[in-house]
Amino acid sequence: MNVLVVLGHPRTDSFGSALAEAYCEGAREAGAEVRELVVADLEFDPDVRADSPENQEMEPDLIDAQRRLRWADHLAFVYPNWWGTMPARLKGFLDRVLTPGFAFSFEGEGPGHDSLLSGRTAELISTMDMPPWVYRFIYRQPGNDAMKRATLGFVGVRTTRVTNLGPVRESDPSDRQEWLAEATRLGESLESGPEPRSVRARRRLKSWLSALRLQFYPMSLLAYGLGALAAAGTDAFSALAIWLGLAFVFFLEATTVLANEYADYETDSENAYAGPFTGGSRVLVEGDLGFGEVRRGALLTGSLAAVAGVEALAVGAGSTLATATAMAVLAVLALGYTLPPLSLSYRTLGELDVAVTHSIGVLLVGFLLAGGVSSDPLPWLLGLPFLLSVLPSITLAGVPDRDADRAAGKQTIAVRFGIDGAAAVAAGTALAAAGAGVIWILRGVPGYGPLVALSIPHGLAIAWAVRGLYRRPEPRRIDRLMALTLSYLVWFAVVPLYSLLRVA
């Protein structure tokens, strides 16, 4: 491992200098090749005087510093905390050395940037004149966050560890010896990798949670609960079957999400407008997880879904044949969104597939497991407005992804009919869902009361909001519009669910 230790104190006779030396000693003991960069010894103008840092002539010391940063696998910044953040000398160094073209670039497509120092790690060792807990919990560590996220994170360097030492002003020689020993241990710990095992475990957990995209699960779980409650009045109702069916739905959703992550890598890697609701989780694109890991994860969750489904069928209250058929069709349609041979998202059927599986499909499984009969029209009546309310969000999700989907051969509604066509579908289905809700209120469908009528202004708001897509019919992030359409499900999922729960 190549380790660059950057001493950011404006003096070379500081306690920070001793800490940097102790860290270097430990890192060398761990087998790392270590170089030092003392900012106080560099000759450079810390102020950016040109219109942009790359247009200002680079001093030889800064050119050499860039070579060292490019050489390093791991960076250790040692500096004092002054006024909540780093000294001006270190800030000026970063302003001048992390230039466009070297550390980042805005030349790619989309509103974001390319991080050019990705693949490197860093850690921060900061001294201060306050107790570290005060800095963290009362002042909320502004300097650490600025360095970790806004600076190093921006250029692609992942901070693996932050160590705050203090208060230095009130310390005695034994305190300082203990801190020096800690700096040595930090360097020695590089023998097992650039980040502690606990940090590595948390990062892996975060990557898997990102891959699972849990923000989308409430849609299908609400539909399942709605179906189960609609049949909860039957004498054959089985709570165990309901819980096992819920596990089946959850693990099937997880399998579908992971399969989509795997199959959509080509379009996700080209997507310049990915957001929390579009463009995948990015764990494969950014290398947080490998293809083999995602494939094995999908196989594991698929196996768990199969086991939960079989167990639910064994204790379910409804017809085993009808329930098994509904489960099988649901699984085929869910996985067929991207996976061959169906590959429905490549045939302009993906949006309808998601709407069906996350509304009527899941709702029917819950209804049958709870003892309902397949000839009963109730699950279909409950599922139709739900289906229509899902379509606006899933259709608009194709807007930021349009160019990437087109390049990958996907035929989403936004690709086939244009962004204005997707806007028209979203507006039309939102208003159709509200209309169906009003009709169901008038017809006395269980779960539909006066509160569902609030879907009318919400649907009108969606129709009004998508006007912007006609004015600017090009891919871009639409996070607020996605939030507006996803929350539309409240009127056709949460409100009927609550009404049925009160009756039950």
Side-chain angles (χ1 to χ4, degrees):
M1 185 188 304
N2 295 334
V3 178
L4 179 64
V5 180
V6 181
L7 176 59
H9 201 293
R11 300 194 321 271
T12 58
D13 61 347
S14 66
F15 180 60
S17 179
L19 288 171
E21 287 299 326
Y23 182 92
C24 290
E25 180 181 344
R28 292 189 179 100
E29 286 293 324
E33 183 174 346
V34 181
R35 296 180 184 178
E36 296 180 66
L37 196 159
V38 181
V39 175
D41 289 341
L42 306 183
E43 295 186 5
F44 68 98
D45 184 349
D47 295 320
V48 178
R49 303 183 186 278
D51 58 345
S52 184
E54 78 270 26
N55 295 329
Q56 186 166 332
E57 183 178 356
M58 295 280 287
E59 294 86 347
D61 281 352
L62 292 185
I63 295 174
D64 180 64
Q66 286 188 339
R67 293 195 192 100
R68 290 169 181 257
L69 289 170
R70 192 178 288 112
W71 164 86
D73 301 312
H74 183 69
L75 307 170
F77 289 88
V78 184
Y79 57 92
N81 182 297
W82 290 350
W83 295 109
T85 184
M86 67 189 74
R89 181 76 176 174
L90 177 57
K91 178 64 167 62
F93 169 77
L94 295 173
D95 287 346
R96 291 293 317 282
V97 80
L98 298 180
T99 56
F102 166 73
F104 63 95
S105 172
F106 290 118
E107 294 180 0
E109 296 181 1
H113 71 286
D114 294 327
S115 300
L116 303 182
L117 296 181
S118 298
R120 294 167 176 81
T121 56
E123 64 180 297
L124 313 178
I125 302 174
S126 177
T127 58
M128 56 190 60
D129 281 334
M130 69 176 76
W133 69 267
V134 173
Y135 183 64
R136 179 177 182 181
F137 295 109
I138 296 179
Y139 288 95
R140 303 185 68 179
Q141 54 186 14
N144 292 346
D145 288 341
M147 190 68 162
K148 179 179 179 179
R149 295 184 175 88
T151 305
L152 296 176
F154 188 86
V155 301
V157 179
R158 179 167 51 84
T159 301
T160 60
R161 182 165 52 191
V162 177
T163 304
N164 294 320
L165 303 174
V168 174
R169 182 169 54 88
E170 299 175 0
S171 64
D172 55 34
S174 63
D175 293 327
R176 298 193 177 201
Q177 284 300 320
E178 183 178 336
W179 292 333
L180 290 172
E182 183 174 355
T184 302
R185 287 194 297 271
L186 291 174
E188 291 172 343
S189 70
L190 295 178
E191 185 174 9
S192 60
E195 60 184 348
R197 290 185 178 89
S198 59
V199 174
R200 188 158 57 245
R202 286 197 301 270
R203 182 169 59 85
R204 296 282 296 172
L205 177 60
K206 183 179 178 181
S207 297
W208 277 110
L209 290 175
S210 297
L212 289 171
R213 308 193 78 188
L214 297 176
Q215 65 267 36
F216 293 114
Y217 291 52
M219 190 186 307
S220 55
L221 297 181
L222 284 170
Y224 176 83
L226 189 58
L229 280 174
T234 62
D235 295 334
F237 180 80
S238 169
L240 178 59
I242 298 304
W243 285 109
L244 288 170
L246 189 67
F248 165 76
V249 170
F250 179 89
F251 288 120
L252 178 60
E253 180 85 14
T255 306
T256 304
V257 167
L258 293 175
N260 292 345
E261 192 75 29
Y262 188 90
D264 279 346
Y265 174 78
E266 182 180 355
T267 178
D268 290 346
S269 62
E270 296 296 327
N271 197 323
Y273 300 96
F277 309 114
T278 61
S281 70
R282 318 294 292 172
V283 295
L284 284 177
V285 174
E286 297 177 4
D288 296 326
L289 295 176
F291 286 92
E293 292 175 300
V294 172
R295 187 169 58 249
R296 289 190 293 272
L299 290 173
L300 174 61
T301 55
S303 300
L304 292 172
V307 171
V310 170
E311 293 292 334
L313 286 172
V315 296
S319 166
T320 301
L321 177 60
T323 309
T325 302
M327 285 180 163
V329 171
L330 177 65
V332 169
L333 290 177
L335 296 174
Y337 174 73
T338 50
L339 295 183
L342 293 181
S343 301
L344 296 171
S345 60
Y346 289 79
R347 308 172 190 268
T348 323
L349 293 172
E351 291 86 352
L352 181 60
D353 177 59
V354 171
V356 168
T357 54
H358 286 71
S359 60
I360 292 175
V362 178
L363 197 153
L364 186 59
V365 169
F367 184 78
L368 294 174
L369 277 174
V373 295
S374 56
S375 59
D376 192 329
L378 182 56
W380 302 94
L381 291 173
L382 292 172
L384 179 60
F386 201 136
L387 184 154
L388 292 170
S389 70
V390 173
L391 279 169
S393 58
I394 189 61
T395 301
L396 292 177
V399 170
D401 304 346
R402 187 196 65 175
D403 288 352
D405 285 343
R406 176 186 290 161
K410 291 181 73 172
Q411 290 292 311
T412 63
I413 290 176
V415 170
R416 184 175 290 275
F417 301 109
I419 290 177
D420 52 352
V425 171
T429 53
L431 295 176
V438 171
I439 294 173
W440 275 206
I441 294 172
L442 297 175
R443 292 184 59 180
V445 173
Y448 276 76
L451 196 60
V452 178
L454 292 176
S455 63
I456 296 175
H458 197 153
L460 290 171
I462 292 173
W464 179 267
V466 299
R467 294 179 312 119
L469 298 179
Y470 288 97
R471 296 171 180 172
R472 291 178 55 198
E474 73 271 355
R476 64 182 187 274
R477 288 186 60 160
I478 52 170
D479 295 344
R480 280 187 284 188
L481 183 54
M482 287 296 299
L484 179 65
T485 54
L486 283 168
S487 61
Y488 194 46
L489 298 172
V490 168
W491 312 114
F492 310 99
V494 178
V495 171
L497 185 69
Y498 177 72
S499 299
L500 291 174
L501 187 61
R502 290 183 63 187
V503 173

